[in-house]
Amino acid sequence: MTLSTETRAELVEIAGRYPQKRSGLLPMLHLVQSSEGRITPEGITACAEILEISPADVSGVATFYTMYKRKPVGDYHVGVCTNTLCAVMGGDEIFATLKDHLDVGNDETTDDGKITLEHVECNAACDYAPVMMVNWEFMDNQTPESAVRLVDDLRAGTEVHSTRGPRLCTWREAERVLAGFADGLAGEGPSAGPSSLVGLGIARERGWTAPDPEQSDLAAPADPEVDAAPAVPTDADSGSDKHQAAAEADDDVAEAAEVEQDSPTDETAAEKKEAD
Amino acid sequence: MVDTLTPVLTDDWDAERSWTLETYESRGGYGALQKALAMAPDEIVTAVKDSGLRGRGGAGFPTGMKWSFIPQDNPKPKYLVVNADESEPGTCKDIPLMMATPHTLVEGVIISSFAIRANHAFIYIRGEVLHVIRRVQAAVAEAYAAGHLGKNIHGSGYDLDVVVHAGAGAYICGEETALLEGLEGRRGQPRLRPPFPAVAGLYASPTVINNVESIASVPSIIGNGSAWFASMGTEKSKGFGIFSLSGHVTRPGQYEAPLGITLRQLIDLAGGMRHGHELKFWTPGGSSTPLLTAEHLDVPLDFEGVAGVGSMLGTRAIQLFDETTCVVRAVLRWTEFYKHESCGKCTPCREGTWWLVQTLAALERGQGSEADLDLLLDQCDNILGRSFCALGDGATSPISSSIGYFRDDYLAHLTHGGCPVDPTASTAWAASLTGAQA
């Protein structure tokens, strides 16, 4: 089925957000999913035409990222985290329970077209383990019983809210937000879930704070050199300050050189860590 | 004496509608931006250098120094890219930060972009966190409406546009050059370095890529001063950081503390390990950082301290496992993750992670022999340091460290003919916690 004129116009709009239009491809594919229910050959062609690249280039991207689906997805994409921590905390049991309850395998959709079940990787909510995601909204601290209740409610059309977000929308509506079109729901849900606030709560109880910048000698001084090395006794003599600054500059150069010339292993390890 | 916990980034998380511009500004938000716009860009770079801030995405590279690598004589546009692709197993700090206080990040983006003379910045957020993306999109829209973004920001003559970009499910895009590929509309496969992104990054132009927490720390440094920031932390690891505790601990969650706090202190604050159980192993900074054990409770959690015991501080993603957990099952699951997420570009990682899974899975089923442990270590040896990026390196960390600390647990699978550990005992609803009998 060919894409609607409206969808095509929105694809063009997405490409226009970037200094180079090909940068729009990931959100454009999200919009294709929102409009067509999956990545379709027509959607691939439309993206290729707009970006002036080959359909093979677009297909290569669409098949690389796991959120892009070539089979129709149900109204609710239900993800169960089975990466190590959630698995150990019960994610494996939840996933097995849901497969059995819904009578589907991994990445399969129920006969009524309501639910697609998939095990997912770490979704950055480990302090709420075991975690589930419905249309990429957090469903924190799940159990096999709560998971069954959740999918039953979704299939029955009962209103369900994310534990840290709004009423759940459909998968296609969610994909539209990922394409960069706001749905006006940012103001719903709490600021933070309970686990996010435990450390802050303890600090409040005990009166712990970061140092007060006004009540010490920490307020940014005029002399940047004093600022530079608070742990080191600063010599009042300006000549000495300059000497120290020069030494620091040398350190910087040396450190930079060390980083750039590090062994490939260390360097890539460092870069990858930065990655996360 | 600095307090045990030092909420700065997390300090507004309990405020009413903390994600709105109104709340953020009522608590002093965007004050640092006003101050920064009156400074010379180089002064900001110097202030961040002087603070001692090191990258909060795990590598710990000095942030101000990274900024100073941007060649200002290069005629091409400069770009700032925020790495908000938080996906390292165990890491869960940037997501709550962006959900609760997206304006802290946006203010940091504006100040940082001004410092490196970028007129375009991108926030690359993993696609699997819908509500977080909504909140950041809304914050950027509010910032435009308030004149914090756009043309001639507050009459300074400085222009900045920010695009919120949703990823589409790929752990590898947390690697900075793979992220750039994703942002250029390509398959997320890492690039060979050099050239480094500071010289040839996005669109082959000078680019700074920083983690969310690094950029979000910048407004406090500019607002309160470098010395204030450096008064927290340890000699070479300055400032505060969010420590994320998860797993078998009484109160998992986010604890913002000066770098150098110990796990013993953190577990104590978290109410101890869960009732009736004791710590068996933990990751200091995500699954790619070698496992540690109860021997390491008093190691200062700063870059040097954790490196000193053969691991890495990483993202301070502390996953805690008690004695009910089978370490072989845990390591196998991480290994399957790395195999799934390997982008396929480099042979040692693509093929090596596949072989690791084969060998480990057989051991977990109780098949094979003790010699397979040496085989695993040999496979690790053939992966480590042999690919463009560190994904394969990370895959070897849990394996080599767990064989080092828990060799007997592997052998028990062989003598038992399978996993000797009851998987139900490690769950959040395990009967042993309530005293009920299973």
Side-chain angles (χ1 to χ4, degrees), chain A residues 74-128:
Chain A
D75 291 341
Y76 299 98
H77 176 272
V78 173
V80 181
C81 178
T82 57
N83 200 297
T84 297
L85 189 115
C86 276
V88 163
M89 298 292 287
D92 278 355
E93 195 176 323
I94 292 173
F95 187 59
T97 303
L98 287 182
K99 278 197 291 192
D100 186 51
H101 182 71
L102 297 170
D103 195 24
V104 293
N106 182 44
D107 207 14
E108 289 179 5
T109 302
T110 52
D111 290 337
D112 60 5
K114 293 279 187 199
I115 291 181
T116 300
L117 181 69
E118 189 179 10
H119 72 81
V120 298
E121 298 299 355
C122 185
N123 224 100
C126 315
D127 45 345
Y128 297 95

Side-chain angles (χ1 to χ4, degrees), chain A residues 6-275:
Chain A
E6 194 186 19
T7 301
R8 238 186 130 80
E10 286 179 336
L11 289 173
V12 172
E13 182 189 331
I14 294 170
R17 291 178 197 150
Y18 297 86
Q20 294 189 10
K21 62 184 177 180
R22 181 164 176 169
S23 283
L25 184 52
L26 265 53
M28 286 165 76
L29 289 170
H30 282 304
L31 188 71
V32 168
Q33 298 207 121
S34 174
S35 152
E36 309 301 300
R38 65 185 178 101
I39 299 291
T40 57
E42 293 79 8
I44 288 175
T45 308
C47 291
E49 283 168 8
I50 291 164
L51 299 179
E52 299 177 281
I53 56 179
S54 73
D57 276 334
V58 177
S59 293
V61 172
T63 52
F64 184 86
Y65 296 92
T66 54
M67 288 175 78
Y68 297 135
K69 306 295 182 190
R70 280 161 291 164
K71 292 184 296 187
V73 173
D75 291 341
Y76 299 98
H77 176 272
V78 173
V80 181
C81 178
T82 57
N83 200 297
T84 297
L85 189 115
C86 276
V88 163
M89 298 292 287
D92 278 355
E93 195 176 323
I94 292 173
F95 187 59
T97 303
L98 287 182
K99 278 197 291 192
D100 186 51
H101 182 71
L102 297 170
D103 195 24
V104 293
N106 182 44
D107 207 14
E108 289 179 5
T109 302
T110 52
D111 290 337
D112 60 5
K114 293 279 187 199
I115 291 181
T116 300
L117 181 69
E118 189 179 10
H119 72 81
V120 298
E121 298 299 355
C122 185
N123 224 100
C126 315
D127 45 345
Y128 297 95
V131 173
M132 287 175 60
M133 306 298 296
V134 177
N135 296 340
W136 309 114
E137 302 272 22
F138 289 111
M139 302 302 295
D140 301 323
N141 297 115
Q142 295 296 307
T143 64
E145 295 74 31
S146 69
V148 166
R149 208 160 48 236
L150 170 64
V151 294
D152 285 351
D153 283 348
L154 291 173
R155 294 181 91 178
T158 311
E159 184 169 310
V160 179
H161 285 251
S162 158
T163 50
R164 273 186 285 161
R167 179 180 60 80
L168 297 178
C169 59
T170 65
W171 180 77
R172 287 169 70 158
E173 287 166 343
E175 282 291 318
R176 188 171 168 79
V177 176
L178 299 181
F181 296 99
D183 61 3
L185 298 178
E188 296 200 15
S191 297
S195 290
S196 308
L197 296 173
V198 283
L200 183 60
I202 293 169
R204 296 267 190 264
E205 265 169 44
R206 304 193 187 181
W208 288 341
T209 60
D212 183 349
E214 304 298 327
Q215 284 201 348
S216 61
D217 53 359
L218 300 174
D223 182 347
E225 258 35 86
V226 177
D227 208 352
V232 180
T234 309
D235 196 319
D237 174 60
S238 63
S240 169
D241 270 4
K242 283 196 186 97
H243 180 77
Q244 190 187 322
E248 279 171 10
D250 285 346
D251 280 354
D252 280 10
V253 172
E255 197 169 343
E258 186 186 320
V259 168
E260 301 246 325
Q261 289 172 9
D262 231 340
S263 73
T265 307
D266 289 354
E267 189 169 82
T268 51
E271 292 292 339
K272 174 55 205 170
K273 297 294 111 200
E274 177 65 22

